[in-house]
Amino acid sequence: MTTYKNRAPRPTYPQWLKARQLIFISLCALALLLIHFRFFVLQVPQHELWKQKAKRQHLVEHTLIAKRGCFKSATTLYAHHLASGYSFNKEMPVYHLFVDTTNLTSYKRAVIEEFLFPFAKDPLQLAANLQKKNRSRRILSYLSPKEYHALATQWTQVAKQEQLPKNLLFFLRDFARNYPHGETLGYLLQAVAQYKDPLSHYIQPVGGLELLFNKDLTGTAGKLQLARTLKNPFLYQEEFYPPQDGKDIYLSIHPQLQAYCEKVLACGIERHRAKSGWCVVADCDDGQILALAQFPRFDPSRYGSYYANVQELWKTRVWSIQDAFEPGSIFKPLFMTIALKANHELQAQGKPPLFDPEKWCDLKAITLKGRKTGLKDTSFARYANMNLALKKSSNLYTAALAQGICDQLGSAWLAKEIRQLGFGAPTGVQFPAEAHGLLPQPGKRYPNGTLQWSALTPHSISMGYNVLVSSMQLVQAYCILANGGHTVTPSIILKAAHEEPKNRSQIIATEICDRVLQGMAHVTDKGGSGARAQIHGYSEGGKSGTAHKIRGGKYDKSLFLASFVGIVPLKKPRFVILVSYDEPLSTHLKGHGFNHRGSFCSAPSFALIARETLRTFNIAPDDPTGYSEGDARSYSYTVKQNQNVDEDDSIATTPKVPKPFLFDESRQLNEKFKLLHPPS
C-alpha cells in the first residue's frame, strides 16, 4: 500500500467566506424568483394593460365614417313615381390626406411640402402641420374624388423618383352632404353642419326632417387599425370593423309635382308682387302629402347665410306647418259643415232644424246681436241659400248661422265641433315645432284678463277670423270633408301600400259632406268667387279667401293673405290643394279685379297645380264642360234633357258641349316661365 507522506493538506476556508457564498446563492435564487414573479404579473394580471400600451405604440386607430341616410321620394305607391326612388339629397365621397410626421427628415419634409403646396389653401398652415410629430397627421381635408385621384397619381411618381415609402401619405374616405337639386324642398329637409365633430365624428343637423330623423339617418362608425415599423411608415391593416350606414327615409313627396308647384308659386309671386307663397297637395283618403312647396326657397348648401342674417331667417321656416294665421273665407265651407251637423243634433233632440240649406233668405233682414255696426258682404246678393252663400262668400249668411248655433246648442258645442275638425291642436305631421293654432274657448281668459269668447266671437269665427290655424290643419279638415267624414293624419313619410289608417273614425255624416261639396261646386262656376279655379274636363270645388293681416295690434287695410283651397275631382274626391299668397300688392287692376284677393291671385295657381296633379296621377276627366251638376251648361244636364226627346224627333240626341272656360293668364304664365308640364 502506497502512502503519500508529502501530500499537501486541504485548504480550509474561513467561516465568513462560506457565509458569503450562501448569501450570494440565496440572493440569486430570490432574484430569479422575483423575475419569474414579475413575468407572471406582466403576462397574467397586467396582460390587457400592456397589450393596450403596445397597441398605442405600434398601432394607429382611425374611425371609418358611416354613410348618412338620405331622403328619397316614394317608389311604387303612386303612378309616375320612379321605381328606384328619387333622392332629394345625397352623400358624396370626400377624402382626407394623412402624413406620418414622426420620422420625417428635413429632406422628406421638403419633398412633401413642395408636392402638397399647389393643393393647400394655406401654405403656412401646411408647413406648421408637417413640423408637428404625429403618426397620422391630417394635412388636407375634404378633397373631391377628382382631387384625390390627381394627388394619388402624382404622389406615386414622386415617391418612386425620390425613393420614399409610397404609403408615407395615405387617404381615408369620408362623406359630405350634397343637394343635387339645389333649393327644391330645402326648407323641409333643412341642412346639416358642414363639418363633423372631431371627437364623435357625427354631424349635427340644423333642423327640419334632418333633425327629426337624425337617429335613423345616423349610422354606426367603423374602425381601422394600421400597424407600422419604427424605421419606415410601412402600413398594413391589423383590424377592420366596417361602418353601418344610416337608413334612407322615403317621403310621400312627388318630385316632379313638387318642382312644378314651386315654379307656379315663383311666377305667381312675381305676377302679383307678393311677399311669399306656399301650397299643399294632399291625398284626401290617407293624408299623404304629395307636394309641400313654398317660395322664396331655402338653400341648405349655404344655410349659414340664412341663420346669420335676421332678415333671411324667416325663409328657414315651413310656413304651411309652423305658422298660424286667420284663414278668412276659406273657413266657411267647414263652418257650413258644422251648421249641417247642428241640424242633425237638433233633430235628434226633437227640435226643428237650424236652417234649410235650400231655402232662400233675405240677407238684409238678418240682425246680429251685440254688433254696433253691421256686417258687409263683398257681393251684392239680396237673397241667398247655402249654395249662393258659398258662391258669393256671404258673411251675413254664415254669421246668422253661427248666432243660431250658439242660441240653440250653446257656444261650448260650437267650440267642441271646431276642435273636432283638428283646429287648436297639432295634426301630427312628421315635422318639428308644428303650430298648434289658437281656438278661443268659452269661459277662458287671455293673460290680460279679456274673455276669449265673447258674444261677437261666433260671428268672427264663421268668417275665418278670431281663430288661428295652420295650412296643414286646413288641409286636414278639408280631407275629412272630401273623404266622407273620416279622420286622417297628414303624413310626409311614405306609408306602405294598402296600409290601413290607425284609429280612424267617422266624425261627419256622409250626406253632410256631400251637401257641402255640392255647394263648393258652385264656387268655381261662372259668377262665383272662384271662377278662375275652373279646370276644363274635371269637376272641382273650392273656396277662395282674403284675410286682413294684423299689424301693430289692428287690422291693416293694405296687408292681406290671399288663399284658395279646392278638392279635385269633386265627383270622386282624390286631392285637396291649398294655395296661399302672403301680402300680394293691394291694388285694383282695371278690367280684372282686385289683385290682392284669393279669387284673383290664388285661384289661377290652384287651377294650374290641380291640372298638373290630375295629369301626373292619370286621373280620367269626369266633366267635359267643367260645370257642376245641375247647372244648365253641364254635360250631365244636357244629356238628361236630350234623353227626354223621342228618337224620331229631329233634335240631335248628342249634347252640344259649350267651349271650355279658359283662364288666359294661366296660358301666359306657362309660356313665360316654361313650366315643367304645360297644359294641353
Side-chain angles (χ1 to χ4, degrees):
M1 180 177 180
T2 305
T3 59
Y4 299 93
K5 295 181 179 181
N6 298 327
R7 184 178 180 181
R10 179 178 296 179
T12 58
Y13 296 96
Q15 190 67 26
W16 62 269
L17 184 58
K18 293 182 179 181
R20 180 181 292 179
Q21 291 176 347
L22 182 62
I23 292 173
F24 177 76
I25 294 172
S26 300
L27 290 176
C28 290
L30 180 61
L32 186 61
L33 181 62
L34 291 175
I35 292 174
H36 281 80
F37 178 76
R38 182 58 178 168
F39 284 165
F40 173 79
V41 172
L42 292 175
Q43 295 182 14
V44 181
Q46 299 182 355
H47 172 74
E48 289 298 327
L49 174 64
W50 293 101
K51 181 180 178 181
Q52 296 300 326
K53 187 174 182 179
K55 284 186 175 182
R56 287 194 297 270
Q57 291 178 348
H58 298 282
L59 298 178
V60 177
E61 187 176 277
H62 290 277
T63 300
L64 297 179
I65 306 300
K67 188 177 181 181
R68 185 176 176 85
C70 300
F71 290 98
K72 295 186 176 181
S73 68
T75 53
T76 57
L77 184 60
Y78 295 104
H80 288 277
H81 279 197
L82 303 180
S84 59
Y86 184 96
S87 294
F88 292 108
N89 52 19
K90 294 182 179 180
E91 286 286 279
M92 301 301 293
V94 293
Y95 297 87
H96 305 302
L97 174 63
F98 294 84
V99 179
D100 182 3
T101 60
T102 54
N103 297 300
L104 284 182
T105 62
S106 300
Y107 174 72
K108 293 181 179 179
R109 187 179 294 107
V111 171
I112 295 176
E113 185 175 352
E114 182 182 357
F115 170 68
L116 297 178
F117 181 82
F119 301 93
K121 296 180 180 179
D122 188 352
L124 296 178
Q125 185 65 32
L126 172 65
N129 287 333
L130 291 176
Q131 292 290 341
K132 298 176 181 179
K133 300 295 182 182
N134 196 312
R135 286 192 177 91
S136 55
R137 187 71 184 177
R138 190 160 79 174
I139 303 299
L140 299 179
S141 301
Y142 294 97
L143 299 171
S144 65
K146 184 177 181 180
E147 293 174 331
Y148 157 69
H149 289 295
L151 267 172
T153 304
Q154 294 181 27
W155 172 247
T156 302
Q157 301 173 358
V158 172
K160 183 178 180 181
Q161 181 180 354
E162 301 295 338
Q163 296 183 353
L164 298 176
K166 181 180 177 181
N167 47 20
L168 184 64
L169 274 64
F170 62 97
F171 298 86
L172 288 180
R173 189 181 65 174
D174 197 351
F175 295 96
R177 210 64 160 170
N178 181 265
Y179 304 92
H181 310 291
E183 300 176 348
T184 299
L185 213 65
Y187 38 84
L188 186 67
L189 304 179
Q190 285 291 333
V192 293
Q194 186 176 2
Y195 301 110
K196 294 181 173 64
D197 184 89
L199 298 179
S200 64
H201 299 285
Y202 289 119
I203 197 165
Q204 181 63 36
V206 175
L209 296 182
E210 291 277 11
L211 177 62
L212 184 64
F213 295 99
N214 184 50
K215 186 176 180 180
D216 296 324
L217 294 169
T218 303
T220 304
K223 291 183 179 180
L224 174 67
Q225 289 183 340
L226 302 175
R228 63 197 65 198
T229 61
L230 295 178
K231 294 183 178 180
N232 297 312
F234 178 79
L235 309 179
Y236 62 92
Q237 183 174 304
E238 184 71 15
E239 289 186 59
F240 174 69
Y241 300 100
Q244 296 180 359
D245 296 339
K247 298 179 181 178
D248 292 334
I249 305 296
Y250 285 86
L251 306 180
S252 59
I253 303 295
H254 189 288
Q256 286 79 16
L257 182 60
Q258 173 72 23
Y260 185 89
C261 292
E262 291 181 359
K263 287 204 174 237
V264 170
L265 291 175
C267 65
I269 289 174
E270 181 175 337
R271 181 174 184 268
H272 301 287
R273 298 164 71 179
K275 173 185 175 183
S276 60
W278 62 88
C279 79
V280 182
V281 181
D283 190 314
C284 63
D285 291 330
D286 55 11
Q288 295 273 61
I289 305 300
L290 306 176
L292 188 65
Q294 66 184 46
F295 199 90
R297 299 180 294 181
F298 168 77
D299 188 356
S301 62
R302 54 181 189 90
Y303 67 93
S305 61
Y306 292 88
Y307 288 98
N309 188 351
V310 178
Q311 297 179 353
E312 296 289 319
L313 194 60
W314 64 283
K315 296 180 183 179
T316 64
R317 301 173 58 83
V318 181
W319 309 315
S320 57
I321 298 178
Q322 297 180 294
D323 290 349
F325 53 88
E326 290 179 304
S329 295
I330 56 176
F331 196 79
K332 290 178 181 177
L334 302 175
F335 193 84
M336 293 291 188
T337 304
I338 297 175
L340 292 175
K341 290 185 69 174
N343 277 355
H344 286 208
E345 180 68 21
L346 290 172
Q347 289 176 354
Q349 297 178 6
K351 299 179 181 179
L354 176 67
F355 76 112
D356 183 0
E358 312 299 336
K359 183 179 178 180
W360 295 84
C361 67
D362 188 354
L363 297 180
K364 290 188 176 181
I366 294 176
T367 57
L368 301 176
K369 301 176 183 178
R371 301 194 70 91
K372 296 180 180 179
T373 57
L375 287 179
K376 295 182 180 180
D377 279 338
T378 55
S379 65
F380 299 97
R382 170 70 183 272
Y383 298 92
N385 60 3
M386 178 176 163
N387 291 344
L388 189 62
L390 287 174
K391 183 175 183 177
K392 296 297 183 180
S393 191
S394 173
N395 295 332
L396 287 170
Y397 191 90
T398 55
L401 292 179
Q403 182 172 277
I405 292 173
C406 293
D407 290 343
Q408 300 193 41
L409 295 174
S411 300
W413 185 90
L414 176 58
K416 177 181 69 71
E417 291 298 324
I418 297 175
R419 183 172 293 275
Q420 193 176 33
L421 289 175
F423 299 106
T427 63
V429 67
Q430 301 93 341
F431 197 82
E434 181 185 1
H436 291 213
L438 178 62
L439 177 62
Q441 293 298 313
K444 291 188 177 182
R445 295 181 180 272
Y446 291 112
N448 62 359
T450 307
L451 282 172
Q452 294 185 6
W453 193 287
S454 65
L456 303 182
T457 299
H459 304 162
S460 301
I461 292 180
S462 69
M463 300 179 293
Y465 287 94
N466 209 353
V467 59
L468 296 179
V469 303
S470 68
S471 297
M472 194 59 64
Q473 289 174 334
L474 282 170
V475 169
Q476 181 187 38
Y478 271 92
C479 285
I480 296 174
L481 180 62
N483 66 22
H486 296 88
T487 57
V488 296
T489 301
S491 176
I492 301 174
I493 306 304
L494 179 65
K495 298 178 182 178
H498 310 295
E499 178 181 352
E500 291 295 332
K502 298 180 181 179
N503 302 324
R504 189 173 186 179
S505 59
Q506 187 169 10
I507 59 175
I508 306 174
T510 305
E511 57 269 21
I512 293 179
C513 296
D514 293 340
R515 184 62 189 86
V516 176
L517 294 182
Q518 179 185 348
M520 291 173 62
H522 292 270
V523 175
T524 57
D525 278 351
K526 188 175 181 179
S529 59
R532 294 176 182 270
Q534 195 173 105
I535 310 168
H536 176 61
Y538 292 91
S539 59
E540 74 290 309
K543 187 68 186 77
S544 61
T546 308
H548 289 270
K549 295 186 64 176
I550 294 178
R551 174 184 286 179
K554 60 181 181 180
Y555 289 105
D556 193 317
K557 295 183 179 180
S558 62
L559 296 181
F560 299 90
L561 178 67
S563 304
F564 190 93
V565 59
I567 301 171
V568 291
L570 196 62
K571 294 179 181 179
K572 293 182 179 180
R574 177 72 185 278
F575 306 107
V576 171
I577 302 173
L578 182 144
V579 181
S580 296
Y581 287 105
D582 189 20
E583 299 183 13
L585 181 64
S586 177
T587 184
H588 181 270
L589 302 177
K590 187 176 181 180
H592 294 279
F594 289 96
N595 177 74
H596 58 271
R597 288 186 176 177
S599 58
F600 184 79
C601 62
S602 300
S605 297
F606 163 83
L608 290 172
I609 294 173
R611 181 163 44 192
E612 178 65 16
T613 303
L614 295 167
R615 187 205 66 82
T616 300
F617 291 94
N618 291 331
I619 305 299
D622 62 344
D623 189 356
T625 64
Y627 297 112
S628 61
E629 290 191 31
D631 193 293
R633 297 162 296 176
S634 67
Y635 180 81
S636 58
Y637 183 87
T638 309
V639 171
K640 185 177 180 180
Q641 294 295 324
N642 290 331
Q643 287 176 348
N644 296 330
V645 180
D646 295 335
E647 294 182 1
D648 296 335
D649 199 296
S650 59
I651 300 179
T653 57
T654 303
K656 183 179 180 181
V657 180
K659 294 182 179 180
F661 174 77
L662 295 178
F663 177 44
D664 295 336
E665 285 82 354
S666 65
R667 192 185 310 162
Q668 296 173 6
L669 272 104
N670 282 326
E671 295 175 357
K672 182 177 181 181
F673 293 92
K674 297 181 180 180
L675 299 180
L676 295 180
H677 304 289
S680 58

